[in-house]
Amino acid sequence: MTELDLLIVGVAAIVGGAVNALAGGGTLITFPVLTAVGIPAMSANITNTVALCPGYLGGTVAQLKDLDVNRRRLWIVGITGAIGGVVGGILLLFTGEHTFRILVPYLILLATGLLAIENPVRKWQMRRASRGAKQGDGEVPTAIAVFLASIYGGYFGGGLSVIVLAVLALVSDDSLTRLNALKQVIAFCVNISAAIFFLFSGKVVWSAAAVMAVGAFVGGTLGGMLAGRLRPAVLRWIVVGTGVIIAVMFFVK
């Protein structure tokens, strides 16, 4: 990669990190930029997964105070999420570059749709909690739901947090605050396990990953500072619109 390419992906990572901190959907910024500078779609996806690990770690540490949940349950969802992330990574490598390139616009549209429904999902969970609605909250249903969501996270990752939040709301009686914290832990386990698996794939563009990791950290910090000044809903819809345009461009290309 040229110095200009690294500068471009670094700026994209800063923007993506800020977007993730404010509204979510940073992958819809960073992944297309990686492909735009000439990185093959599969390598771009894998590099993006590795580069975002520091951001997921930071988000998990920041919400540890809200994780007043059963330790056994935390271990179950964490391990299940990690296994699902590896399975998703294996499926990605078996897909092949050509097939994955064909799937890219559909995956971007799926991630865009998930981002669009995030707010309704949160409101739905809050209404259920306020009515005292009871879901199963069993360990087996929770593990199955988390495992299936984690496979998607290891495969692509865009919109993973929304999927995890939705499935946790279906099988758990926890409050939205605890579900958010639990969701962050699961997303981190999925991402870090997939990233470790990808270390041996030979498809990580390390120069880009290093620059993006720093950029994502800087962007996340900036996003946290701007959290009270920008409306997340407005930014989310801007990202959704951008995602649709990018998907159309991939279809045309």
Side-chain angles (χ1 to χ4, degrees):
M1 298 185 68
T2 67
E3 293 181 358
L4 179 60
D5 291 336
L6 293 175
L7 176 62
I8 292 172
V9 298
V11 172
I14 293 174
V15 175
V19 168
N20 272 336
L22 291 165
T27 296
L28 295 174
I29 305 296
T30 54
F31 172 74
V33 170
L34 286 170
T35 60
V37 297
I39 298 177
M42 184 178 292
S43 290
N45 184 39
I46 290 174
T47 301
N48 195 58
T49 297
V50 174
L52 292 181
C53 283
Y56 279 106
L57 175 61
T60 301
V61 172
Q63 291 188 285
L64 284 178
K65 62 182 183 301
D66 298 320
L67 278 174
D68 54 339
V69 296
N70 183 281
R71 289 294 180 91
R72 173 184 168 87
R73 184 185 178 206
L74 190 61
W75 276 102
I76 289 174
V77 297
I79 293 174
T80 303
I83 295 173
V86 173
V87 171
I90 293 173
L91 290 176
L92 174 63
L93 293 182
F94 272 101
T95 297
E97 178 66 36
H98 177 69
T99 303
F100 182 73
R101 180 79 184 187
I102 295 173
L103 292 175
V104 162
Y106 299 99
L107 292 169
I108 291 177
L109 283 178
L110 175 59
T112 301
L114 290 169
L115 186 62
I117 66 171
E118 180 176 8
N119 198 46
V121 168
R122 291 176 180 273
K123 290 181 178 179
W124 166 71
Q125 166 58 13
M126 292 175 67
R127 287 196 300 268
R128 290 177 67 88
S130 65
R131 294 197 302 263
K134 295 295 182 181
Q135 302 98 346
D137 204 28
E139 291 179 351
V140 174
T142 300
I144 293 174
V146 169
F147 176 71
L148 294 176
S150 301
I151 292 175
Y152 167 78
Y155 191 88
F156 185 63
L160 171 63
S161 295
V162 184
I163 293 181
V164 173
L165 181 63
V167 298
L168 287 175
L170 285 172
V171 297
S172 174
D173 294 325
D174 280 337
S175 67
L176 184 59
T177 299
R178 286 194 293 270
L179 288 184
N180 272 326
L182 194 59
K183 170 205 71 179
Q184 194 67 41
V185 171
I186 294 170
F188 170 69
C189 290
V190 172
N191 188 263
I192 193 67
S193 64
I196 291 173
F197 173 74
F198 289 144
L199 294 181
F200 307 98
S201 68
K203 293 184 178 295
V204 181
V205 182
W206 287 107
S207 55
V211 170
M212 289 179 65
V214 175
F217 177 79
V218 173
T221 303
L222 292 175
M225 294 170 60
L226 295 172
R229 304 178 185 179
L230 297 176
R231 294 179 59 188
V234 174
L235 181 58
R236 183 178 296 113
W237 283 109
I238 292 175
V239 176
V240 167
T242 302
V244 172
I245 293 172
I246 292 171
V248 171
M249 292 174 63
F250 270 99
F251 273 121
V252 172
K253 188 175 180 179

